[in-house]
Amino acid sequence: IRFFEQTLELDGLTPEQETISRALLAGSYQGAGRAEDAESIYRGILDLDPLFQIEALIERVEALYGVSLFSGQVEVFRNVRRIR
């Protein structure tokens, strides 16, 4: 969690890097049982990109880095989107 928090404090991240870092942080929060923090991060992603599609990000992260986002992230993200 701290790694992704520190990454987001860096200057010079591209929009894609920031979105990926935020999504990975949200997944970390979710995995640690911090659902409210995860939802807050997802709201931040939607503030940056209202058209954000988590499914596309999952494919991109898997292609770029060979890692999968945490299970359940799609459902939590969709719930956040519905609430907005």
Side-chain angles (χ1 to χ4, degrees), residues 3 8 14 29-32 42 49 54 63 74:
F3 172 79
L8 289 168
T14 66
Y29 282 150
Q30 190 176 333
Y42 286 130
D49 181 1
I54 195 164
V74 173

Side-chain angles (χ1 to χ4, degrees), residues 5-42:
E5 291 172 337
Q6 289 176 331
T7 298
L8 289 168
E9 293 171 3
L10 298 173
D11 289 329
L13 291 176
T14 66
E16 181 181 51
Q17 290 169 328
E18 184 171 350
T19 300
I20 289 171
S21 295
R22 285 179 183 276
L24 291 171
L25 177 58
S28 297
Y29 282 150
Q30 190 176 333
R34 295 172 58 180
E36 288 180 14
D37 290 326
E39 291 170 6
S40 176
I41 294 295
Y42 286 130

Side-chain angles (χ1 to χ4, degrees), residues 20 23-24 27 54 57-59 61-62 67-73:
I20 289 171
L24 291 171
I54 195 164
L57 178 74
I58 290 170
E59 290 178 17
V61 168
E62 288 176 355
V67 298
S68 297
L69 296 178
F70 297 90
S71 63
Q73 278 190 273

